[in-house]
Amino acid sequence: MKNEQNGTLYIVATPIGNLGDITQRALDTFAQVDLIAAEDTRHSGLLLSHYGIKKPFFALHDHNEQQKAAVLVEKLQQGLNIALISDAGTPLISDPGFHLVRHCRQAEVKVVPLPGACAAITALCASGIASDRFCFEGFLPAKTKSRCDKLAEVADEARTLIFYESTHRIWDTLKDMQKILGADRYVVIAREITKTWETIYGDTLTNLIEWLNEDSNRIKGEIVLVVEGKPEQVDEEFSTQAVKLLGLLCQELPLKKAAAIVAETFGYKKNALYQYGLEHLSDN
């Protein structure tokens, strides 16, 4: 049974660059909690100082989280309210916090998430690549073989792929992507999101690498890569009647809806019909 004397753990998203992206709810939460668990207390101290907030800090990072999570849960069980933040963006997304949240849920300590900035979602929204289904893969391995092995695992993934990458490894990663995913795979690079030098640019891997080569400044800063999923292969031959019906329906309906109706009527795969429509009914 939940102990009503427990405090609450607040998972608080912070700006990824532009300080104006802090939410009022986040500021109100910082003001009322007893303690702030931060990935880098010095970095977060600058953020809170900007807003005139002074609170005790507790360092919680990749190297100590499994050991320190129990300490924080004990404080929560004593009635303290704690805010969890990372260096930037939403905690737990390629950042520490998972072990703490899991310990809290096991101990029946209330966990309250405060939504806010997230580099992966922000980049996806501006990429122009399909956003209805996607996979967030975080950072790829640093070593070439492991990185190529990971890329090979997702090479046939039809969903949009999202990766974080550093300035120091972006060249190696893009070259490995070109080798594993193919030179024509469409990729959007989003760097310094919400900051002064924000850049969002997309092209095939071959052209993207060439574009980046033109100016070394284009790889500086925090980087998100949004990779188009592998197109589904059209391996069916459709009957004349199915193709005719698809064309007629597309005069009145969106292609996606028309493809679904024809697929149900004739027993074809909906995605295959949709791909056929994109290639042969482009005016629709």
Side-chain angles (χ1 to χ4, degrees), residues 191-192 197 199 212 214-221:
R191 73 173 191 96
E192 295 293 85
W197 304 110
T199 304
L212 292 173
E214 294 173 358
D215 185 349
S216 61
N217 288 318
R218 291 172 178 170
I219 63 165
K220 292 182 178 178

Side-chain angles (χ1 to χ4, degrees), residues 1-61:
M1 184 175 178
K2 183 178 178 181
N3 184 349
E4 297 300 332
Q5 300 303 312
N6 286 345
T8 298
L9 175 69
Y10 296 92
I11 306 172
V12 185
T14 55
I16 56 178
N18 191 319
L19 293 180
D21 291 333
I22 194 75
T23 69
Q24 184 60 52
R25 188 179 175 201
L27 294 175
D28 292 342
T29 298
F30 290 145
Q32 65 95 10
V33 296
D34 303 292
L35 183 68
I36 295 176
E39 186 178 3
D40 183 331
T41 56
R42 290 169 300 180
H43 179 91
S44 297
L46 294 174
L47 172 68
L48 297 190
S49 176
H50 177 81
Y51 291 104
I53 297 171
K54 295 181 179 179
K55 290 287 176 174
F57 277 110
F58 186 101
L60 187 78
H61 46 72

